[in-house]
C-alpha cells in the first residue's frame, strides 16, 4: 500500500462542499476516486481546509487481453531463491509447479515456455535469476508479441533494468539419502546498451537404490515363459557440468542476443546385480548383471534477434546450431553362459532458422513465419551388435498468423504447412503436415476472463524410434526401430476461466478434450537368436488415445497475506484404444500452505497417490509431501527441507506394460518418495545503477540422440 498526504490550504467559500479524497485502485493506471461530500451551513467567513489522506493500493493481479499479470510482493521475493520458487510462492492458480522436478505446466498439464525479459530461458537460467529484481510476472496464452515465437503458453518475467553494473549469484543445493548436489554461479554485467552474462554449473548424483523389481510374461509359440528379476540394489554415479556465455545488444528498436554453451556429462558407473528366476526353468540361472558407462559432450549456439522496422513492421530471427559426441559401453551377462556387450558411438548435429515478419494494423496484426532446419546422427554399433547407421532429418514450413483485438474480445489464429523428410540408412520417407490454432479470449470484467481454443497438430516421431538396427538387450529381449513409422495426428478443444475475487483470492478452472489418432504402439515378435527364443520389440502406427481432463485451483492470502493457502483438484478420463485397450480414471489433489514470520517462513506441501497413463504404459505413484523452513532477507536465502519423513520405502512407481505377446509389471526404486533431507543456500549481490536490464544465460540443450536402446 502506498500512501500520499495532500495538506492543501486554500480559500473556500463556506457554502462549498468540503471534500475528503481516498484513492483505492485495482490498477494504478486506472485510479478510482471515491469523493465524500459534507455540506456545511453557509457562513460569511473563509476557512482553511486540509484534504484527507489519499490511499493508493497497487494492484498485484490484473487481466490483459493475453492473460493475467501478477506483481510479486517483497515478502514473496525475499523467500524465493529462484524463479520457480517465486512462482510457487506467488501461488498462481493457472500454473502447476512440480515440487519434485521444478517443472512448470498449466493446470491442464500442457507445457509452458518460460522467458525472462522476452528471452527464452532454460531451467538453469531460471535458477540463476535474481528474484529480488522481478517487477512482474506475465502468464499468457498464445500471446501476440512476436518475441514469444508463437508459443502456446508463456510465463514471462519482467525484470528491473540496469544502466550499468549487474549482479553475481551463487546457488548450492545438497540432499541426503541418495547423495545429490547442484551448484551454480551466474554473473551479469551491463553497460548502456550491452549486457554480458556468464554462467557455470555442476551437479552430481550417487545412488545405491535406483533399481527395479519386475515380472515379465512372454507368450512364445512354444509356450509361456515368466521372468522374475529383483535388482533393487543398483548403483549409479553421474557428473554433469556446463558453461555458457551470452552477449545482448539492446536499443529502442532492436535486441540482438547470442549465446554459446558447452556441456560435459558423464555417467561412469551404472550397474546392478539382480536375482533371476524363470518359470519354467530355461537354464539354471540365479542372477544377472548389467553395467554401463556413458558420456556426452557438446556445444551449441543460439541467437535471438528482434528488429522493429518502419511502417509498423517487426522481424524476429532465431538461428540455432549444435554438435555433440557421445559414447556408451553397456553389458548384460548371466554367469559365463551369455554375455552381451555393446559399444556405441554417436555424433549428432543440428541447425535451424526461424524468421517471423509481422505487420501491425492498429489493434490488429498479421504475421508470416518461415522455418527450416536439419539434424544429423551417425551411430556406430560395435562388439555384439555390429552396425553403422546414418540418420538425417530435414524440415521446413510456413505459417500465417493473425491477431485481432475488439475491445474486450481478442481473437487469434494461425495455420501452417510443413514438410518433413527422414533418411535412415537406405530408407527415406517424406510426409507433409498441417497445423491450425483458433483461440478466443474475452474479458468478462476487470477481474476475470474466459478463453476457448481449438488446435490440430502432428506429433513428431522420435528419431530413435526409426532406427532399424537390431540390438539385443537381455536373454529374452531385443529392440528394433521401425523406419516406416508415420506421424500421429492430435486434436484438442479447451476452455479455461481465470478470476481474482480480490487481491488476496484468485481462482482458475479448465476443461480439455484431446484426441491423438494413428498413434505409435509397441509390438513384439518372437524370433530365434543364438539358438534360443527372443522377443523383439518394435513399433507400429495403430489406434487412438483420447483424454478428457478437468480441474480447478485456488490461492487465498490471509492476515495481510502472512498465511498463503493453495489447493488444486484435477480429474482425467483416458482411453488408449490400440491392440490392447487401456483405460485410466484418476483424481489428483494437491495442497500447499505457507506461513510468513517476518524474514522466516514455513511451508507444507502434500499430493495424493496418483495414477498415470502414457502411449506405452500406465501405473501409479505414492503420495508425496514435504516440509520447508527457511530464512530470506535481501541477498541471502537459506532453506531446510524434509521430504516424506514417515516413508522408509524406496518404492517410486509401479509401471505396467501390456502387449499381445508380452506383459510386464515393473516396480521402480529411488529416492523421490523416500525419506530424505536437504539444504539450499542462495546468495547474490548487486552493483551499479538499475535502469535497464536483460536476462541471464542458461545451460543449452544438446542434440537429440538416435541411439536405440531398451
Amino acid at each position: 500500500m502506498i500512501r500520499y498526504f495532500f495538506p492543501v490550504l486554500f480559500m473556500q467559500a463556506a457554502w462549498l462542499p468540503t471534500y475528503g479524497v481516498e484513492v483505492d485502485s485495482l490498477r494504478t493506471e486506472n485510479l478510482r476516486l471515491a469523493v465524500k461530500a459534507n455540506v456545511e451551513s453557509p457562513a460569511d467567513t473563509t476557512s482553511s481546509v486540509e484534504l484527507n489522506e489519499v490511499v493508493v493500493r497497487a494492484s498485484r493481479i490484473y487481466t490483459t487481453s493475453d492473460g493475467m499479470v501478477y506483481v510479486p510482493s517483497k515478502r514473496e521475493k525475499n523467500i524465493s531463491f529462484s524463479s520457480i520458487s517465486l512462482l510457487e510462492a506467488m501461488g498462481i492458480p493457472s500454473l502447476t509447479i512440480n515440487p519434485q522436478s521444478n517443472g512448470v505446466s498449466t493446470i491442464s498439464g500442457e507445457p509452458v515456455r518460460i522467458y525472462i525479459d522476452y528471452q527464452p530461458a532454460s531451467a538453469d537460467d531460471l535458477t540463476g535469476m535474481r528474484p529480488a529484481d522481478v517487477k512482474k510476472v506475465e502468464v499468457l496464452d498464445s500471446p501476440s508479441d512476436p518475441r514469444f515465437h508463437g508459443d502456446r503458453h508463456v510465463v514471462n518475467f519482467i525484470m528491473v533494468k540496469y544502466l550499468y553494473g549487474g549482479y553475481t549469484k551463487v546457488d548450492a543445493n545438497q540432499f541426503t539419502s541418495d547423495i545429490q548436489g547442484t551448484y551454480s554461479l551466474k554473473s551479469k554485467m551491463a553497460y548502456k546498451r550491452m549486457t554480458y552474462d556468464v554462467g557455470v554449473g555442476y551437479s552430481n548424483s550417487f545412488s545405491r537404490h535406483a533399481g527395479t523389481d519386475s515380472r515379465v510374461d512372454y507368450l512364445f509359440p512354444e509356450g509361456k515363459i515368466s521372468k522374475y528379476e529383483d535388482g533393487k540394489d543398483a548403483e549409479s554415479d553421474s557428473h554433469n557440468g556446463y558453461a555458457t556465455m551470452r552477449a545482448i545488444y539492446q536499443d529502442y528498436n532492436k535486441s540482438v542476443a547470442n549465446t554459446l554453451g558447452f556441456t560435459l556429462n558423464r555417467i561412469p558407473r551404472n550397474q546392478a546385480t539382480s536375482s533371476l528366476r524363470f518359470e519354467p526353468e530355461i537354464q539354471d540361472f540365479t542372477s544377472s548383471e548389467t553395467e554401463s558407462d556413458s558420456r556426452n559432450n557438446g556445444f551449441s549456439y543460439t541467437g535471438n534477434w528482434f528488429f522493429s522496422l518502419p511502417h509498423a513492421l517487426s522481424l524476429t530471427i532465431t538461428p540455432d546450431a549444435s554438435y555433440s559426441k557421445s559414447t556408451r559401453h553397456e553389458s548384460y551377462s548371466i554367469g559365463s553362459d551369455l554375455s552381451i556387450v555393446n559399444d556405441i558411438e554417436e555424433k549428432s548435429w543440428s541447425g535451424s532458422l526461424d524468421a517471423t515478419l509481422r505487420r501491425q494494423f492498429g489493434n490488429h496484426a498479421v504475421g508470416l513465419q518461415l522455418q527450416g532446419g536439419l539434424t544429423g546422427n551417425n551411430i556406430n554399433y560395435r562388439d555384439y551388435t555390429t552396425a553403422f547407421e546414418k540418420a538425417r532429418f530435414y524440415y521446413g514450413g510456413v505459417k500465417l498468423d493473425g491477431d485481432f483485438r475488439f475491445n474486450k474480445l481478442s481473437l487469434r489464429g494461425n495455420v501452417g504447412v510443413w514438410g518433413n523428410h527422414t533418411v535412415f540408412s537406405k530408407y527415406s520417407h517424406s510426409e507433409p503436415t498441417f497445423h491450425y490454432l483458433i483461440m478466443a479470449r474475452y474479458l468478462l470484467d476487470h477481474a476475470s476472463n474466459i478463453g476457448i481454443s481449438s488446435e490440430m497438430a502432428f506429433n513428431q516421431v522420435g528419431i530413435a524410434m526409426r532406427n532399424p538396427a537390431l540390438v539385443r538387450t537381455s536373454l529374452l529381449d531385443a529392440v528394433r526401430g521401425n523406419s516406416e513409422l508415420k506421424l500421429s495426428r492430435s486434436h484438442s478443444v479447451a476452455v479455461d476461466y481465470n478470476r481474482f475475487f480480490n487481491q488476496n483470492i484468485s481462482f482458475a478452472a479448465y476443461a480439455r478434450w484431446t484426441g491423438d489418432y494413428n498413434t505409435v504402439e509397441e509390438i513384439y515378435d518372437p524370433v530365434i537368436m543364438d539358438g534360443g527364443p527372443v522377443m523383439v520389440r518394435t513399433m507400429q502406427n495403430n489406434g487412438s488415445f483420447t483424454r478428457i481432463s478437468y480441474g480447478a485451483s485456488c490461492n487465498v492470502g490471509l492476515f495481510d497475506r502472512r498465511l498463503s493457502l493453495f489447493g488444486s483438484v484435477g480429474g482425467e478420463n483416458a482411453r488408449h484404444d490400440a491392440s490392447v485397450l487401456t483405460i485410466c480414471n484418476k483424481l489428483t489433489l494437491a495442497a500447499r500452505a505457507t506461513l510468513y514470520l517476518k524474514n522466516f517462513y514455513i511451508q507444507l506441501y502434500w499430493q495424493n497417490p496418483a495414477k498415470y497413463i502414457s502411449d506405452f504404459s500406465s501405473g501409479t505413484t505414492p503420495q508425496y509431501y514435504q516440509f520447508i523452513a527457511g530464512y530470506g532477507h535481501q541477498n541471502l536465502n537459506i532453506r531446510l527441507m524434509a521430504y516424506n519423513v514417515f516413508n522408509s520405502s524406496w518404492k517410486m512407481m509401479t509401471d505396467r506394460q501390456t502387449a499381445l505377446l508380452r506383459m510386464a509389471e515393473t516396480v521402480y526404486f529411488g529416492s523421490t518418495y523416500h525419506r530424505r533431507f536437504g539444504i539450499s543456500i542462495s546468495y547474490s549481490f548487486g552493483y551499479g545503477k538499475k535502469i535497464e536490464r536483460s536476462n541471464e544465460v542458461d545451460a543449452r540443450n544438446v542434440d537429440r540422440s538416435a541411439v536405440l536402446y531398451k
Side-chain angles (χ1 to χ4, degrees), residues 465-478:
M465 294 183 181
R466 288 189 164 131
N467 189 335
L470 177 62
V471 180
R472 190 169 183 179
T473 57
S474 71
L475 179 66
L476 296 178
D477 293 283

Side-chain angles (χ1 to χ4, degrees), residues 9 50-51 63 107 114 132 146 179 185 196 275 360 451 491 496 568:
L9 300 177
E50 182 177 292
L51 290 178
T63 60
I107 57 172
I114 302 182
I179 305 302
L185 183 147
Y196 301 95
S275 62
Q360 196 77 25
H491 298 266
D496 66 87
S568 66

Side-chain angles (χ1 to χ4, degrees), residues 610-685:
K611 297 180 180 179
Y612 67 89
I613 182 172
S614 66
D615 289 339
F616 306 122
S617 66
S618 61
T620 58
T621 58
Q623 70 172 340
Y624 178 90
Y625 50 94
Q626 66 182 30
F627 171 81
I628 296 175
Y631 169 85
H633 181 62
Q634 295 181 348
N635 298 326
L636 178 64
N637 190 290
I638 302 174
R639 58 170 51 188
L640 303 175
M641 300 159 286
Y643 305 90
N644 310 301
V645 293
F646 301 111
N647 185 17
S648 59
S649 171
W650 296 93
K651 182 177 178 180
M652 193 167 62
M653 66 181 351
T654 300
D655 185 82
R656 299 176 183 86
Q657 296 175 303
T658 304
L660 292 178
L661 298 180
R662 184 183 183 275
M663 287 74 69
E665 180 173 292
T666 305
V667 179
Y668 289 87
F669 296 90
S671 61
T672 303
Y673 297 91
H674 178 75
R675 176 173 50 246
R676 62 190 180 113
F677 303 91
I679 181 172
S680 294
I681 301 175
S682 176
Y683 179 75
S684 64
F685 59 91

Side-chain angles (χ1 to χ4, degrees), residues 393-695:
F393 177 71
Y394 309 88
Y395 69 93
V398 58
K399 182 169 70 173
L400 182 63
D401 181 275
D403 185 70
F404 308 95
R405 307 300 170 104
F406 306 95
N407 194 10
K408 294 184 176 182
L409 176 66
S410 63
L411 300 174
R412 184 177 182 192
N414 60 62
V415 58
V417 179
W418 279 267
N420 302 276
H421 182 68
T422 302
V423 179
F424 220 132
S425 295
K426 298 180 181 179
Y427 172 82
S428 64
H429 172 73
S430 297
E431 188 171 2
T433 61
F434 170 77
H435 170 268
Y436 79 82
L437 169 68
I438 300 174
M439 177 183 172
R441 184 162 298 278
Y442 186 75
L443 300 179
L444 298 172
D445 52 42
H446 73 278
S448 62
N449 63 53
I450 186 171
I452 301 174
S453 65
S454 174
E455 186 174 13
M456 194 277 282
F458 283 81
N459 300 316
Q460 290 293 337
V461 175
I463 194 168
M465 294 183 181
R466 288 189 164 131
N467 189 335
L470 177 62
V471 180
R472 190 169 183 179
T473 57
S474 71
L475 179 66
L476 296 178
D477 293 283
V479 295
R480 177 172 55 200
N482 183 356
S483 55
E484 297 183 1
L485 284 177
K486 303 295 189 297
L487 306 181
S488 61
R489 187 178 69 257
S490 177
H491 298 266
S492 68
V493 178
V495 58
D496 66 87
Y497 173 75
N498 297 276
R499 178 177 178 81
F500 62 92
F501 296 94
N502 54 50
Q503 294 299 299
N504 295 320
I505 303 177
S506 53
F507 173 83
Y510 76 95
R512 187 169 184 254
W513 172 87
T514 303
D516 295 333
Y517 300 95
N518 198 34
T519 56
V520 176
E521 69 164 346
E522 294 180 343
I523 59 173
Y524 291 85
D525 296 320
V527 300
I528 300 297
M529 296 181 67
D530 299 327
V534 173
M535 196 68 75
V536 179
R537 185 212 73 189
T538 186
M539 300 179 186
Q540 69 176 9
N541 292 101
N542 181 41
S544 62
F545 195 167
T546 57
R547 300 174 187 254
I548 298 176
S549 56
Y550 44 88
S553 62
C554 183
N555 188 73
V556 179
L558 302 175
F559 312 114
D560 194 25
R561 297 189 62 80
R562 289 183 175 88
L563 176 62
S564 177
L565 302 176
F566 179 87
S568 66
V569 56
E572 182 177 273
N573 307 103
R575 178 187 177 96
H576 189 196
D577 196 348
S579 297
V580 176
L581 175 63
T582 305
I583 296 175
C584 178
N585 299 313
K586 70 175 185 178
L587 179 68
T588 303
L589 302 172
R592 182 174 61 247
T594 306
L595 177 64
Y596 302 95
L597 303 169
K598 292 187 177 179
N599 295 327
F600 295 89
Y601 59 94
I602 298 173
Q603 184 181 94
L604 299 173
Y605 176 87
W606 172 83
Q607 181 178 298
N608 70 320
K611 297 180 180 179
Y612 67 89
I613 182 172
S614 66
D615 289 339
F616 306 122
S617 66
S618 61
T620 58
T621 58
Q623 70 172 340
Y624 178 90
Y625 50 94
Q626 66 182 30
F627 171 81
I628 296 175
Y631 169 85
H633 181 62
Q634 295 181 348
N635 298 326
L636 178 64
N637 190 290
I638 302 174
R639 58 170 51 188
L640 303 175
M641 300 159 286
Y643 305 90
N644 310 301
V645 293
F646 301 111
N647 185 17
S648 59
S649 171
W650 296 93
K651 182 177 178 180
M652 193 167 62
M653 66 181 351
T654 300
D655 185 82
R656 299 176 183 86
Q657 296 175 303
T658 304
L660 292 178
L661 298 180
R662 184 183 183 275
M663 287 74 69
E665 180 173 292
T666 305
V667 179
Y668 289 87
F669 296 90
S671 61
T672 303
Y673 297 91
H674 178 75
R675 176 173 50 246
R676 62 190 180 113
F677 303 91
I679 181 172
S680 294
I681 301 175
S682 176
Y683 179 75
S684 64
F685 59 91
Y687 44 88
K689 184 176 181 180
K690 290 182 177 180
I691 293 181
E692 190 170 38
R693 158 158 195 204
S694 300
N695 66 307

Side-chain angles (χ1 to χ4, degrees), residues 118-165:
Y118 306 95
Q119 296 283 347
S122 76
D124 293 294
D125 192 9
L126 298 174
T127 299
M129 193 191 76
R130 196 180 189 209
D133 287 349
V134 177
K135 294 174 62 177
K136 61 183 179 180
V137 181
E138 300 175 330
V139 181
L140 312 174
D141 291 311
S142 295
S144 58
D145 196 308
R147 290 173 290 181
F148 294 128
H149 306 286
D151 287 329
R152 182 74 172 83
H153 303 286
V154 168
V155 169
N156 184 38
F157 289 90
I158 302 297
M159 312 298 293
V160 172
K161 308 298 186 295
Y162 283 91
L163 176 62
Y164 58 85

Side-chain angles (χ1 to χ4, degrees), residues 27 38 106 577 585 621 670 700:
R27 294 187 64 174
N38 181 22
T106 67
D577 196 348
N585 299 313
T621 58
R700 311 303 304 168

